Amino acid sequence: MNFKQSLLLVAFVLCFVTTSFSQHRNYRITNGFSIFGGMTQLDIATDNFATSKEWGGLGGMWATVDIPHRWYNVSFGMQLSESKLGISARELQGTPEDAFVDYKMFAAQIALLGHIKLGTPDVTIDLGPMFQYNSDLEMKDKAYESYYINNYNNIQASEIGSISNFNLNGVAGITAGYKYVKLRAQYIYGATNILKRLNSKDLDTTGGKSTFKGNQTMLVLGLNVSF
């Protein structure tokens, strides 16, 4: 799934969802479209590695359905992000000096969210499931390829990039603003093991846990503009 294919997919689905809702005669609803941009802070909750959070970027498109006489609204959309993550490693075996090796990850996230109105449609609690396709972890600087990952004796930084590419997440957040411009914060938690694919690799796990397990966490802060 490349960038152009992702945009075509979300554009088709947004048109389908908007049309479907607008033809429902039993509800007086208002359809809308919004764009969203912001920052991400990626981490992996795991006992296998020591990690550090880094800031990345995100953009997305959403189809919104406002139901005035209900206590909730609904939206469907896609977010594309490039996030960054640091993993602790050392240059030589047996040396105490360490550094955080920087990795980046591209992700396309499709979500269906319910927006619970807090007395007004301008302030909502946002909850829902999210399907994610992501790339492998890509090292930002190839000079660190031969570094050894901390918590293990022999695993090198270049050997842990093959993470699981399809993951299911849960989203919780809050949106607040006025009419067409709103601030949005999301917390995304991975329900699946994003490190599962490493278990099928022939890695020397001497010195650390033999099974790889980790759950993605992502903080998203951004601005949502509706049309």
Side-chain angles (χ1 to χ4, degrees):
M1 181 184 292
N2 57 37
F3 182 79
K4 290 184 179 179
Q5 290 173 326
S6 299
L7 287 180
L8 289 174
L9 174 62
V10 71
F12 172 78
V13 175
L14 291 180
C15 291
F16 174 78
V17 171
T18 303
T19 301
S20 297
F21 275 109
S22 64
Q23 292 176 346
H24 201 301
R25 298 181 178 179
N26 296 328
Y27 298 96
R28 183 173 61 86
I29 63 177
T30 303
N31 297 319
F33 177 79
S34 67
I35 57 174
F36 177 65
M39 301 183 299
T40 66
Q41 192 176 66
L42 174 68
D43 198 7
I44 298 177
T46 178
D47 293 329
N48 297 103
F49 311 128
T51 63
S52 67
K53 302 175 183 178
E54 305 288 344
W55 288 102
L58 173 145
M61 299 181 293
W62 292 83
T64 59
V65 182
D66 181 24
I67 311 174
H69 59 292
R70 296 285 184 174
W71 52 271
Y72 63 90
N73 291 333
V74 178
S75 68
F76 178 89
M78 172 182 278
Q79 300 179 157
L80 302 176
S81 65
E82 184 178 89
S83 301
K84 302 173 184 178
L85 171 73
I87 296 180
S88 180
R90 62 197 183 279
E91 184 174 8
L92 300 173
Q93 290 178 321
T95 59
E97 294 85 4
D98 58 11
F100 281 97
V101 178
D102 291 328
Y103 296 83
K104 60 182 180 180
M105 183 187 80
F106 170 82
Q109 300 168 326
I110 299 174
L112 176 64
L113 299 182
H115 304 274
I116 303 172
K117 302 174 186 178
L118 298 182
T120 169
D122 292 326
V123 182
T124 61
I125 297 294
D126 313 323
L127 301 169
M130 171 181 284
F131 176 78
Q132 173 177 304
Y133 166 79
N134 56 264
S135 67
D136 291 346
L137 291 177
E138 180 182 342
M139 297 185 65
K140 294 180 61 179
D141 190 343
K142 300 298 184 181
Y144 291 95
E145 284 185 337
S146 61
Y147 273 51
Y148 292 92
I149 296 297
N150 286 335
N151 296 342
Y152 291 93
N153 294 342
N154 301 310
I155 296 180
Q156 294 184 316
S158 60
E159 298 180 299
I160 62 170
S162 298
I163 59 175
S164 299
N165 298 127
F166 295 93
N167 291 281
L168 181 64
N169 306 327
V171 183
I174 185 169
T175 300
Y178 183 70
K179 289 188 176 180
Y180 306 113
V181 180
K182 297 179 182 179
L183 297 174
R184 174 172 291 177
Q186 293 179 337
Y187 178 76
I188 301 170
Y189 183 81
T192 50
N193 179 10
I194 198 170
L195 300 180
K196 183 178 180 180
R197 191 174 164 200
L198 292 177
N199 292 317
S200 62
K201 304 296 180 180
D202 187 20
L203 298 177
D204 184 352
T205 58
T206 303
K209 292 181 177 293
S210 59
T211 301
F212 293 93
K213 186 179 186 304
N215 300 88
Q216 169 191 302
T217 67
M218 182 182 288
L219 177 65
V220 178
L221 301 174
L223 184 69
N224 193 71
V225 180
S226 301
F227 300 93

